């Protein structure tokens, strides 16, 4: 057996995921169609393929102890000049994401790893493209809003073609938190 590159993330659900992926591609990010829209919990990590069952068992334990929480995206941010990234901000659910990623990367667990930068939950909308396109992404999505109840996370593997594919979903063991009453998602029509 060889090695595999895995990642763990919270998928941005439809219609928001496809919308942000199309916008990312429109800004000129060539990797957009190979990366499902997400909030990272474990960045790309190379592991021995034989360790995959242990990683899955660990993630199942983390998810079983978890509870659903509200996620809300609003506005943009950037890691420039440190890293060539423009992102949509996680404004609700950030603390839960931070706790989850610590549990996923538990130093005693099979997915332990150090991070290159301090953890900051976000949804990348432009990465490694020219500065003018990064500026356009930052400005055009400044008013972006989306929200949903986060009910779990997933394990992904990066293929030899660079495309990330979902291996398995891990739903939380706790009950689902309903969306906040009176809030309207971008593009939706309020009902009574």
């Amino acid at each position: 057996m060889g090695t595999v590159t895995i990642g763990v993330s919270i998928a941005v659900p439809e219609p928001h995921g496809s919308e942000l992926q199309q916008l990312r591609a429109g800004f000129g990010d060539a990797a957009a169609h190979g990366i499902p829209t997400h909030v990272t919990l474990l960045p790309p990590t190379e592991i021995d393929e034989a360790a995959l069952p242990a990683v899955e068992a660990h993630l199942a334990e983390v998810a079983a102890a978890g509870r659903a929480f509200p996620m809300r995206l609003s506005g943009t941010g950037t890691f420039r000049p440190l890293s060539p990234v423009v992102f949509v901000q996680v404004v609700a659910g950030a603390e839960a994401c931070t706790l989850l990623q610590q549990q996923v990367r538990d130093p005693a667990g099979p997915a332990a790893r150090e991070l290159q930068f301090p953890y900051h939950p976000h949804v990348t909308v432009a990465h490694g493209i020219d500065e003018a396109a990064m500026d356009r992404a930052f400005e055009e999505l400044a008013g972006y809003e989306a929200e949903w109840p986060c009910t779990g996370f997933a394990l992904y593997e990066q293929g030899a073609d660079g495309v990330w594919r979902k291996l398995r979903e891990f739903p939380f063991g706790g009950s689902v938190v309903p969306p906040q009453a009176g809030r309207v998602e971008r593009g939706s029509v309020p009902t009574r």
Side-chain angles (χ1 to χ4, degrees):
M1 288 191 156
T3 61
V4 293
T5 300
I6 62 166
V8 178
S9 63
I10 296 168
V12 174
E14 297 304 333
H16 314 297
S18 292
E19 178 183 30
L20 288 172
Q21 190 174 45
Q22 291 301 322
L23 288 166
R24 183 173 178 173
F27 297 132
D29 191 329
H33 290 296
I35 305 171
T37 308
H38 67 282
V39 175
T40 299
L41 298 176
L42 176 72
T45 301
E46 191 173 301
I47 64 165
D48 191 311
E49 193 172 2
L52 207 47
V55 169
E56 289 189 26
H58 170 66
L59 296 176
E61 285 180 20
V62 170
R67 293 182 58 94
F69 58 91
M71 287 279 287
R72 187 163 75 89
L73 308 179
S74 182
T76 51
T78 185
F79 294 132
R80 294 182 296 173
L82 196 59
S83 181
V85 172
V86 171
F87 57 85
V88 174
Q89 298 185 73
V90 174
V91 296
E95 287 181 25
C97 290
T98 300
L99 178 61
L100 270 175
Q101 66 87 28
Q102 289 170 342
Q103 293 169 337
V104 166
R105 294 184 312 103
D106 184 332
R113 71 161 286 177
E114 293 295 318
L115 298 179
Q116 183 178 1
F117 301 106
Y119 182 75
H120 180 83
H122 65 280
V123 177
T124 299
V125 292
H127 180 228
I129 58 178
D130 69 71
E131 289 296 318
M134 299 272 271
D135 291 341
R136 190 164 64 91
F138 186 87
E139 291 163 11
E140 287 185 18
L141 292 172
Y144 189 84
E145 297 275 338
E147 65 181 291
W148 68 94
C150 177
T151 59
F153 55 85
L155 172 65
Y156 292 81
E157 180 180 345
Q158 186 177 37
D161 57 0
V163 174
W164 287 91
R165 293 174 180 85
K166 188 185 318 177
L167 295 179
R168 182 173 164 193
E169 291 185 3
F170 297 89
F172 293 133
S175 60
V176 175
V177 175
Q180 292 176 322
R183 301 286 312 201
V184 177
E185 292 187 30
R186 182 173 181 246
S188 67
V189 178
T191 58
R192 295 195 185 262

